[in-house]
């Protein structure tokens, strides 16, 4: 009566199955992509970009810090960070400490007399970033009396704006 209908020779069964499989595969692909993105997001949220933050006094052991960084990255395939790598603004220094899994402290004689080095150690302590210390032969433990009057020996005012 004027309408033209084309019926596949198999009655449409094979085409229906193929279409169903295609739709199922498409949904599985979309679900797989969504799960992959979720895993990447969760991993990045819980994984810090640096494995090691190397805290050091440049004059006392800057060259050693650079060699240690190269060695750690070569041997572990993990990223290490030292301040001369990418620090454009000292205000972000302590954020790099917090973005690290652990702090390697190169304990040279002047380390604890440098306000920025002390700030790195305090940040690691307050942010629960573990410290691993390497003591140099010239390092000397500070006396209790010196620690009690630290602010009279070391000008820490430069750290005040950072909290």
């Amino acid at each position: 009566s004027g309408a033209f209908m084309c019926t596949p020779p198999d009655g449409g069964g094979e085409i229906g199955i193929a279409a169903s499989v295609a739709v199922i595969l498409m949904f599985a692909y979309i679900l797989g992509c969504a799960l992959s993105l979720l895993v990447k997001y969760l991993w990045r949220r819980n994984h810090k970009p640096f494995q090691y933050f190397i805290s050091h006094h440049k004059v006392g052991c800057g060259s050693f810090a650079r060699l240690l960084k190269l060695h750690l990255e070569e041997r572990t395939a993990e990223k290490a960070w030292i301040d001369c790598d990418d620090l454009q603004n000292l205000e972000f220094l302590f954020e790099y400490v917090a973005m690290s899994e652990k702090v390697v402290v190169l304990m040279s004689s002047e380390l604890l007399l440098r306000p920025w080095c002390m700030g790195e150690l305090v940040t690691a302590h307050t942010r629960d970033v573990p410290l691993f210390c390497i003591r140099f032969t010239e390092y000397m433990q500070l006396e209790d009396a010196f620690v009690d009057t630290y602010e009279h020996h070391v000008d820490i005012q430069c750290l005040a704006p950072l909290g």
Side-chain angles (χ1 to χ4, degrees):
S1 79
F4 179 72
M5 298 274 289
C6 182
T7 306
D10 67 348
E14 288 180 14
I15 293 175
I17 291 172
S20 296
V21 168
V23 168
I24 290 170
L25 289 174
M26 185 173 55
F27 280 123
Y29 177 76
I30 291 170
L31 180 62
C33 289
L35 285 174
S36 174
L37 289 173
L38 178 63
V39 166
K40 285 179 185 179
Y41 168 77
L42 292 174
W43 184 81
R44 284 185 184 146
R45 195 177 88 183
N46 294 323
H47 187 265
K48 296 180 179 182
F50 300 103
Q51 186 67 25
Y52 309 99
F53 178 98
I54 301 173
S55 180
H56 67 288
H57 174 235
K58 277 188 188 69
V59 174
C61 57
S63 297
F64 182 86
R66 171 65 58 197
L67 288 173
L68 178 62
K69 176 191 186 305
L70 294 172
H71 179 77
L72 288 171
E73 289 182 341
E74 181 181 296
R75 298 290 290 231
T76 67
E78 299 283 352
K79 289 185 76 171
W81 196 88
I82 57 176
D83 57 4
C84 55
D85 280 350
D86 187 33
L87 186 61
Q88 305 296 322
N89 186 338
L90 276 174
E91 291 179 17
F92 300 123
L93 178 65
F94 303 142
E95 289 305 312
Y96 282 100
V97 173
M99 293 187 315
S100 302
E101 294 290 339
K102 55 188 74 86
V103 173
V104 178
V105 184
L106 303 183
M107 300 179 76
S108 60
S109 62
E110 300 287 315
L111 177 82
L112 300 178
L113 302 177
R114 309 302 303 158
W116 292 100
C117 295
M118 284 302 295
E120 293 166 1
L121 301 180
V122 169
T123 301
H125 178 74
T126 58
R127 298 281 187 95
D128 294 323
V129 180
L131 298 173
F132 295 88
C133 300
I134 298 174
R135 258 180 224 227
F136 286 73
T137 55
E138 73 274 3
Y139 174 79
M140 293 182 57
Q141 189 72 29
L142 297 179
E143 301 288 328
D144 288 341
F146 184 89
V147 173
D148 292 340
T149 59
Y150 186 78
E151 68 278 357
H152 298 297
H153 303 284
V154 179
D155 182 14
I156 56 174
Q157 292 304 311
C158 59
L159 303 178
L162 303 172

